[in-house]
Amino acid sequence: MGATLELQELLKSRTGVLNNILHNIRAWDGTPESGVSIIEQNQLEIERIEKINNTIQSFSDKNNDDVSYVKQLELIISEQKQFTVSMKTEQNIILSNIRQLNKKNEVVNNYITTNRESVFVDKDFK
């Protein structure tokens, strides 16, 4: 009976961790900084799920992946794909802005002469 109760607590805990991951993804405000933070937070949550799954596997050899767990994983995968696409779009925008700044610097450098050679005028030259 104790093992069954502990197994139920582990399953409940795993569901809570999955909810945390999903909440983190949905809370993204669109900035690269928060995106990186979400990735770091979710990595910790994934490590927690791995530990929980290993403990669940030690209770029995049968697969304890219930339907709600699998559906939640599918939802997270879908949300994660959208999150990844959005992060890549943001990355491309930032890279484009950096390229534009570099081009502006090139244009400015083309108009400013950096060659400071001495120029002598020979007044006696006829």
Side-chain angles (χ1 to χ4, degrees), residues 88-101:
K88 285 183 181 184
T89 302
E90 286 295 317
Q91 178 186 19
N92 289 336
I93 290 170
I94 291 171
L95 290 175
S96 175
N97 289 341
I98 289 172
R99 282 189 214 107
Q100 288 177 3
L101 284 174

Side-chain angles (χ1 to χ4, degrees), residues 1 29 31 40-41 43-44 50-51 73 82 91 93 96 103 111-112 114 117:
M1 185 80 162
D29 64 3
T31 63
E40 290 171 350
Q41 290 171 359
Q43 183 60 41
L44 295 174
E50 288 174 350
K51 290 177 185 176
L73 280 178
Q82 293 173 356
Q91 178 186 19
I93 290 170
S96 175
K103 286 187 183 211
Y111 283 103
I112 298 175
T114 56
E117 294 179 8

Side-chain angles (χ1 to χ4, degrees), residues 5 9 12 21 23 36-39 49 80 88 97 101 107 111 113 118 120 124:
L5 187 58
E9 286 298 318
K12 186 177 178 181
I21 291 172
H23 174 73
V36 170
S37 175
I38 289 170
I39 290 169
I49 286 178
Q80 182 69 31
K88 285 183 181 184
N97 289 341
L101 284 174
V107 169
Y111 283 103
T113 58
S118 297
F120 294 102
D124 292 335

Side-chain angles (χ1 to χ4, degrees), residues 59-81:
F59 280 106
S60 68
D61 293 334
K62 73 175 190 163
N63 189 359
N64 286 308
D65 295 342
D66 58 1
V67 175
S68 65
Y69 173 71
V70 173
K71 284 184 181 181
Q72 204 167 17
L73 280 178
E74 290 171 353
L75 182 61
I76 287 173
I77 289 169
S78 173
E79 296 272 340
Q80 182 69 31
K81 284 180 183 177

Side-chain angles (χ1 to χ4, degrees), residues 23-36:
H23 174 73
N24 289 344
I25 293 171
R26 290 179 175 167
W28 184 46
D29 64 3
T31 63
E33 294 82 10
S34 80
V36 170

